[in-house]
Amino acid sequence: MGSLDEQLRGHGNGNGHEDTTYRFSKARDSLEMAKGPGKNKKHEVRLDKTKTFSSLYTLSEPCSLSWRNVNYSVLVKKQNKVILKDCAGDLAPGKMLAILGPSGSGKTSLLNVVAGRVTAGELEGEILLNGKPRTDSFRLLSAYVVQDDALFSSLTVRETMLIAAELRLPSGVELGKKQEVAEKVINELGLAKSANTRIGNAFVRGISGGEKKRVNIGVEMMGNPSLVFLDEPTSGLDSFQAQNVVQALKDLSQNGRTVVMTIHQPRSSIFQMFDTIMLLSEGNLIYFGGAHAEAASHFGSLGYKMPEEFNPADFYLDLISLDTRSPEAEAKTRDRIEVLARNCKTNKEPIPSLGMASASEPEVSKGAASDYRAGKLHQFRVLFGRALTQITRDKIPLMISVFTAVFFALIVGMLYMHMDKNQRGIQDRMGALFFVVVNNAFGQMFAILNVFSKEKLIVQREFAARAYNTWPYYVSKLVAEQPFRLIGPLVFCCIAYPIIGLNGAWDRFLVFVLIVLLLAIAAQTLGIFLGSISKNEEIAANVSPLATVILLLFGGFYVNKDTIPPALSWIEYLSHIQWAFTALCVNEFKGQEGWKCDGFESESNLCDVTGEQILHRLSMDGQTVWEPIISQILLICLLHCGAYWSLCKLQPKFKPLETKKGVSPVKAVKGSDRV
Ligand SMILES: Nc1ncnc2c1ncn2[C@@H]1O[C@H](COP(=O)(O)OP(=O)(O)OP(=O)(O)O)[C@@H](O)[C@H]1O
């Protein structure tokens, strides 16, 4: 086995040192060419491989990024909404670009466009990687750090990093080396002190917000990307934490990586770290170029001289923000923005080589058969371990589930205990059985929905990074979590059944447990299905009760099966509530005798009723308990297919990386196309 450098490079020449030097000098060359002759001393790519984050392993490919005539629009209520107008820029390896602008100016959209993460809308323009159109290898070369910290709360920092290393490093790398990489990332991001601290959540105090951001960045860096895109990496942090995060990003860029971020109101010490800035206002490019003297002289030449001792970021943002407090102020600021946009300082020349154009397709792409680095079985093993750790450590949901099971079992037990074998007893039994069904159907679905809506954010991010395929995730989650998720319903059965005084035979009790557990599985699967098809947590929280109430109506308790209109009767086949209730009724009444139909008759006029007659009244006669049980199992299979399909839908569908060319630039900031 070769050195870590060699293994991680994958396609290297076998000589780690020479190759490293070669690649970094390529990065430096391109940097120098981008700056032009005579300007190459100040921001030289730092090659100190012992101190910084990037010293972990060889940078796979130094990459330059260029974009021209980028226009992006979306359809909103059948109207074309222009979001980006004629944007252009170039970035060489070793540079850090900050995209700045007021809220809604198009920063995130531009980041998504250059990162190849656009999912909707019309995109035109030219975006080149190392002077060539981007191919699928672009996704392997780049990392995208989202704004939200989506991490598993029960894992420690070290475990999070190790799992990321396991999933995102090539499968040929030994475990020991992966651990080494994870440890180095922890150290280099200043996370050593909290390496064994859990990430934490609202219930359990974990690491700080700044540490979470750095863990997020570390996770995305595991794939050794050459390009790093970050959407507001400092949001929600105090200024000291924000400074630390940007310093870590500066270190990345100084080792040859190309770093692009959007940022809101950076403090001046953070602004000092940027090499290049891009200013956007209402989708218009206002400035692209050097962050310091160049920017100051550009705006100075337009009559906007920056006062001394002023935070440049504040100054530029004030200049390019629309003041909507009064019509006069709005007109004035709009005029100013139009003038600034017309005099925009940017490079609209044909895309320069940046020293990389002669490069052939990036090495990493050659022979890259799959977007995924780890094999599916390996993915399964790692994800199974993660799911198991998460569910066994996150005790609060488990405790809540057991506590509510005990609580409701006692309530229903006390409510229905001492039932007679008469008309009232029959009604009470049916009420008790239906409560058992409803309680478990709702409880299980909402419990999983609550957990899954948080997990979905992490899964979406990891899917987008091609960290793993859908089936290893789905199956490992199922196998690891299902036994724990059935503890609550099992406890419920063991307490409620004897207290209510349902059919005393052991075999009936065991079938009762089986029915309730199958119902719980069906409800949980429905929860995952609804959680993943819903766009966000709020929609899921509204749609789920609605769906359950409809399935409840067809559950066999409120409406007799025989009276359901034929056009709607198909719904009862999709109701897990109906199959569970039918099975429980058959399990309770079938083969039982000695029921008294005392109804409105006098004591002397009692008649005997059999279990079959009771089931006949419910339109449940003529079937064994196994028929609804098997139907429930088939419904569970169907729900799993639906849940799996909806999880596949979570895989983001990014627009092709090739963009349309030959666009005439969008003109002024006028009329309805104003963003
Ligand atoms: N898919 C979309 N559909 C409709 N409108 C969109 C879409 N994407 C972006 N927009 C709109 O484009 C504008 C720019 O959005 P974007 O998120 O890029 O701005 P931003 O500068 O990053 O804002 P903020 O700083 O508030 O995050 C906004 O008005 C936004 O509502």
Side-chain angles (χ1 to χ4, degrees), residues 141-160:
L141 288 164
S142 60
Y144 189 105
V145 182
V146 294
Q147 200 179 129
D148 305 312
D149 307 317
L151 299 162
F152 279 96
S153 60
S154 295
L155 302 184
T156 64
V157 170
R158 177 167 282 124
E159 287 163 344
T160 305

Side-chain angles (χ1 to χ4, degrees), residues 368-512:
S370 158
D371 279 357
Y372 300 93
R373 307 231 174 173
K376 291 195 179 71
L377 278 178
H378 185 72
Q379 292 174 20
F380 175 84
R381 196 181 58 72
V382 174
L383 294 170
F384 177 80
R386 180 173 80 175
L388 203 60
T389 311
Q390 175 69 20
I391 194 149
T392 48
R393 285 204 195 142
D394 197 8
K395 295 206 174 63
I396 291 175
L398 266 184
M399 278 161 51
I400 291 176
S401 129
V402 173
F403 175 79
T404 49
V406 173
F407 177 78
F408 280 113
L410 290 176
I411 293 275
V412 73
M414 285 189 293
L415 203 62
Y416 290 104
M417 68 201 305
H418 309 308
M419 286 183 293
D420 296 324
K421 282 191 90 173
N422 56 17
Q423 189 73 38
R424 252 170 286 158
I426 294 169
Q427 272 181 341
D428 284 349
R429 273 180 176 73
M430 283 171 48
L433 294 178
F434 199 67
F435 177 83
V436 167
V437 172
V438 172
N439 180 50
N440 281 285
F442 272 88
Q444 295 306 311
M445 192 187 70
F446 286 110
I448 199 131
L449 208 58
N450 195 22
V451 175
F452 183 70
S453 46
K454 293 181 184 72
E455 186 171 322
K456 185 176 153 181
L457 296 175
I458 309 174
V459 175
Q460 257 174 328
R461 187 193 71 184
E462 293 177 331
F463 277 165
R466 301 286 190 268
Y468 46 77
N469 301 77
T470 312
W471 85 252
Y473 165 71
Y474 190 66
V475 179
S476 64
K477 178 179 171 62
L478 220 62
V479 179
E481 293 182 1
Q482 197 79 83
F484 294 93
R485 297 208 180 282
L486 294 180
I487 294 175
L490 192 63
V491 168
F492 179 89
C493 292
C494 294
I495 298 174
Y497 198 89
I499 302 183
I500 298 173
L502 293 168
N503 196 315
W506 265 104
D507 58 338
R508 303 266 180 159
F509 168 67
L510 293 178
V511 172
F512 177 91

Side-chain angles (χ1 to χ4, degrees), residues 72 74-76 81-84 100-112 119-121 147 231-232 262-264 280 283 675:
Y72 176 52
V74 290
L75 267 187
V76 179
K81 177 173 179 174
V82 179
I83 293 176
L84 294 173
L100 295 150
S103 187
S105 56
K107 301 183 293 295
T108 305
S109 302
L110 182 67
L111 187 80
N112 290 340
T119 51
Q147 200 179 129
D231 191 15
E232 302 198 8
T262 65
I263 193 161
H264 259 297
L280 291 177
V675 183

